[in-house]
Amino acid sequence: EVQLVETGGGLIQPGGSLTLSCAASGFSVSSNYMIWVRQAPGKGLEWVSLIYSGGVTYYTESVKGRFSISRDSAKNTMYLQMNSLRAEDTAVYYCARGEFSTYDEYYFHYWGQGTLVTVSS
Amino acid sequence: QSVLTQPPSVSGAPGQRVTISCTGSSSNIGAGFDVHWYQQLPGTAPKLLIYRNSNRPSGVPDRFSGSKSGTSASLAITGLQAEDEADYYCQSYDNRLTGSGLFGGGTKLTVV
């Protein structure tokens, strides 16, 4: 059974750092397209970062240079290292596994339960 | 502001049919990329509802259906039930942008 469990959220001061983890079971993180999606309070879904099975990574503009996505095949876990956190980074962060649709497009069948990151002094 | 435009809210009475639109452009839906739909109940993670425009994952009732035409897509819900009250998001790909996580702004469905 495919399962994703996020951990690592919490209250952090502006300018601080936090690392989120997405532990997977039932499949290999390293062999799949994986994504971090966040949802600010009362707002919609926003993709944050993604990693292809081949290791190529991308970031949404607002987090470039501050966030870093990675994975550990031995632990079958994906990470999101978040530095220089801002109030606007406050959100529930979800990880999800991509399913190939067409061309370079993926959709997301399996999601974690989410972990809340609150950036506040 | 999302590249994919959805109405902020729609409503319907139990048993009725409602549709939620997702309007894109020639660089995403109009370019032939697939549209996928998600349902998000309050306080829960998004759930895949429709993939590749019109396909339902196992377990999703056939009351939910998706379609695509030109630069737009639609999600239709027939026989509306109270438990359908949720936020709905469309998702597609845009060949001018990076990443497949291009979500619409979301639509709040209220069952009145």
Side-chain angles (χ1 to χ4, degrees), chain B residues 25-110:
Chain B
S25 66
S26 59
S27 62
N28 42 69
I29 300 175
F33 296 112
D34 292 332
V35 179
H36 321 285
W37 291 90
Y38 302 85
Q39 177 193 59
Q40 187 178 33
L41 298 170
T44 69
K47 170 190 172 183
L48 180 67
L49 205 60
I50 297 288
Y51 65 99
R52 293 184 189 147
N53 307 312
S54 58
N55 296 277
R56 284 186 308 276
S58 175
V60 173
D62 59 8
R63 301 187 297 104
F64 296 89
S65 62
S67 62
K68 190 185 86 166
S69 178
T71 59
S72 295
S74 289
L75 172 71
I77 310 172
T78 59
L80 205 57
Q81 299 180 4
E83 56 262 38
D84 298 333
E85 188 161 293
D87 294 321
Y88 293 84
Y89 296 90
C90 61
Q91 179 232 327
S92 187
Y93 180 89
D94 193 297
N95 59 24
R96 301 171 308 166
L97 304 172
T98 299
S100 284
L102 177 62
F103 294 96
T107 298
K108 170 67 177 178
L109 168 63
T110 302

Side-chain angles (χ1 to χ4, degrees), chain A residues 33-117:
Chain A
Y33 174 113
M34 300 290 294
I35 195 169
W36 286 98
V37 175
R38 68 184 177 184
Q39 186 171 37
K43 302 297 184 182
L45 303 174
E46 177 191 31
W47 82 275
V48 176
S49 181
L50 60 91
I51 183 167
Y52 284 83
S53 58
V56 174
T57 61
Y58 289 99
Y59 302 89
T60 196
E61 197 63 37
S62 62
V63 309
K64 280 182 183 176
R66 301 189 298 123
F67 289 13
S68 177
I69 191 172
S70 63
R71 63 194 181 193
D72 183 329
S73 57
K75 295 183 178 180
N76 207 25
T77 299
M78 178 177 68
Y79 302 97
L80 186 67
Q81 170 71 43
M82 305 184 295
N83 299 323
S84 303
L85 282 161
R86 307 167 180 167
E88 54 265 36
D89 296 319
T90 294
V92 174
Y93 285 73
Y94 298 99
C95 62
R97 187 183 86 173
E99 315 295 329
F100 182 73
S101 183
T102 184
Y103 182 54
D104 190 27
E105 180 180 2
Y106 294 78
Y107 60 94
F108 310 103
H109 192 169
Y110 297 101
W111 296 70
Q113 83 287 354
T115 187
L116 176 62
V117 173

Side-chain angles (χ1 to χ4, degrees), chain A residues 20-39:
Chain A
L20 305 183
S21 300
C22 172
S25 57
F27 73 99
S28 167
V29 162
S30 297
S31 300
N32 283 270
Y33 174 113
M34 300 290 294
I35 195 169
W36 286 98
V37 175
R38 68 184 177 184
Q39 186 171 37

